[in-house]
Amino acid sequence: MRKLTMILATAMVATMLPAMAVSAEDEVISVGFAQVGHESDWRTASTKSCQDVFSEENGYDLKFVDCDNDEAAQKEAVRSFIEQEVDYIIIDPIIATGWDTVLTECEDAGIPVIVIDRTIDDSDKYVSWVGSNFKTEGQAAAEWLKAYAEKEGIDELNILTISGSTGSSAQIGRSDGFNEVAEENGWNLIDEQTGDFTEAGGQEVMENYCKSYEGQFNVVVCQNDNEAFGAMTAMDNAGVTYGPGNDVILISYDACTAGLEDVAAGKITADFECNPLAAPFVEDVIKTLAAGEEPEKEVYMIEHWYALPEQIVDFEIDGVPQEMTEVTDEVIEAQY
Ligand code: GZL
């Protein structure tokens, strides 16, 4: 019993130690991170998560490149990491395809690649992917809408979507997940145009929608909070009201702090979280590799579906009951 106790205690102490360099010689571990850009609150939180974990204090040399939503620049950043002979490469792929050539170059250079957040769909030459199930996020939003509309006695759903960056796995998954449920239920999907995950993009698309579809829509789906912020500005300017008890049901994704504040303010009707804090799980992958073990190929983040009490309804995804989280001051305070 004593031996077992010692093992558990040691294990507990080990988990309590701050993140530390993962090489036996305690050399600095160099990590190259090719980040999508700086387009949203979500992205800012994702970047901070990596900078906090892969810090000099924790024994890392983080080489960070903000690729500014430019696919070519992202490939160039990865190749620069190869030239610098980093120990590990992290990629959040702007779009899901066009990766096999550069991943082969990483493999030839013997540098493990860890993909975070968005997926790479045309190559598996990476060690692990840490992120979210975007299709599930889309299904959650649609199944919630179905249950909420039934509760509110709304018979007709006329839907406008402001989608994310075209070709990103987040946009593909959210569109596929939501639209499949919409088509199963015969909802009217009026239009879907990209806002590129930015506030300016959301406002521009919503301005066009307010002109083209005046009086024809009662649901707006924004594929991230920053698009929703822009859409709200456009609807304010067009005299369209949104949020519980108003003209338009406004659905958003990410559930960043500012997004949840808009839920609490009765502006966003429901917000479907995408968790940006992947870096601790990426460090676990690096530690597993450094220990000579094989990490999981896929690591899924835990996410929540947020609303105010009046908008919390029971719904299922593929028969699995979903729990919603009430937006409170404490929940907002704790968000990213
Ligand atoms: C999703 C992520 C998306 C966020 C946006 O995981 O890639 O990109 O939903 C961000 O806020 O721009």
Side-chain angles (χ1 to χ4, degrees):
M1 186 57 183
R2 179 173 158 68
K3 183 171 178 355
L4 176 61
T5 306
M6 280 302 291
I7 291 170
L8 287 177
T10 306
M12 281 173 64
V13 168
T15 56
M16 284 157 40
L17 292 174
M20 297 169 70
V22 289
S23 75
E25 306 72 45
D26 263 358
E27 289 165 9
V28 171
I29 302 290
S30 60
V31 176
F33 177 25
Q35 175 61 295
V36 165
H38 50 275
E39 72 286 356
S40 64
D41 292 30
W42 189 100
R43 189 63 54 202
T44 302
S46 164
T47 294
K48 184 177 183 304
S49 175
C50 280
Q51 291 171 334
D52 289 350
V53 169
F54 299 111
S55 65
E56 191 178 335
E57 176 194 346
N58 289 341
Y60 296 94
D61 171 18
L62 179 64
K63 300 173 188 309
F64 173 76
V65 176
D66 171 340
C67 302
D68 197 16
N69 237 18
D70 179 331
E71 300 153 53
Q74 190 163 50
K75 305 293 193 309
E76 194 180 312
V78 173
R79 291 190 166 101
S80 77
F81 297 150
I82 295 172
E83 284 166 23
Q84 296 174 72
E85 297 181 345
V86 298
D87 296 306
Y88 301 92
I89 292 174
I90 302 172
I91 302 171
D92 188 334
I94 293 167
I95 68 161
T97 54
W99 284 99
D100 196 59
T101 301
V102 73
L103 291 185
T104 303
E105 293 166 30
C106 295
E107 191 174 65
D108 293 346
I111 302 175
V113 173
I114 299 154
V115 180
I116 65 168
D117 175 30
R118 301 181 187 176
T119 57
I120 286 176
D121 296 348
D122 65 347
S123 176
D124 66 354
K125 291 172 183 153
Y126 54 86
V127 170
S128 292
W129 165 83
V130 180
S132 301
N133 188 321
F134 304 117
K135 181 167 184 179
T136 298
E137 292 169 8
Q139 289 174 293
E143 295 292 0
W144 167 84
L145 177 60
K146 179 181 177 184
Y148 180 63
E150 279 167 12
K151 170 180 174 272
E152 296 292 304
I154 301 170
D155 298 329
E156 205 176 308
L157 294 173
N158 299 299
I159 301 163
L160 290 169
T161 296
I162 303 176
S163 55
S165 303
T166 303
S168 68
S169 55
Q171 174 272 312
I172 294 166
R174 288 169 190 165
S175 294
D176 288 353
F178 187 93
N179 294 347
E180 273 176 22
V181 176
E183 279 145 22
E184 280 165 17
N185 288 281
W187 299 344
N188 178 18
L189 293 171
I190 302 171
D191 203 344
E192 181 165 343
Q193 294 178 21
T194 182
D196 219 8
F197 285 134
T198 65
E199 183 167 347
Q203 181 172 345
E204 184 181 346
V205 171
M206 196 67 233
E207 283 167 355
N208 295 335
Y209 280 166
C210 287
K211 291 184 189 115
S212 307
Y213 305 112
E214 185 180 354
Q216 300 172 42
F217 61 93
N218 60 348
V219 180
V220 172
V221 181
C222 296
Q223 288 191 350
N224 84 329
D225 290 326
N226 294 80
E227 289 178 344
F229 304 155
M232 285 187 256
T233 301
M235 286 191 278
D236 289 342
N237 294 340
V240 176
T241 61
Y242 46 85
N246 289 313
D247 300 336
V248 169
I249 294 169
L250 179 56
I251 292 170
S252 187
Y253 296 85
D254 281 358
C256 68
T257 299
L260 293 186
E261 286 168 347
D262 280 340
V263 172
K267 297 179 179 179
I268 292 175
T269 316
D271 207 339
F272 296 83
E273 185 180 41
C274 181
N275 188 330
L277 309 181
F281 301 93
V282 175
E283 187 178 40
D284 288 344
V285 170
I286 289 174
K287 286 180 178 177
T288 302
L289 289 168
E293 295 162 13
E294 187 173 344
E296 295 292 325
K297 185 74 175 181
E298 294 180 340
V299 179
Y300 282 93
M301 306 293 286
I302 294 171
E303 339 234 79
H304 304 83
W305 319 133
Y306 293 100
L308 289 176
E310 286 303 300
Q311 282 70 51
I312 288 179
V313 291
D314 293 331
F315 67 94
E316 296 179 351
I317 298 176
D318 296 333
V320 178
Q322 298 295 307
E323 190 180 337
M324 292 192 78
T325 302
E326 179 186 346
V327 174
T328 62
D329 291 344
E330 293 74 26
V331 164
I332 292 171
E333 181 62 31
Q335 197 58 333
Y336 62 84

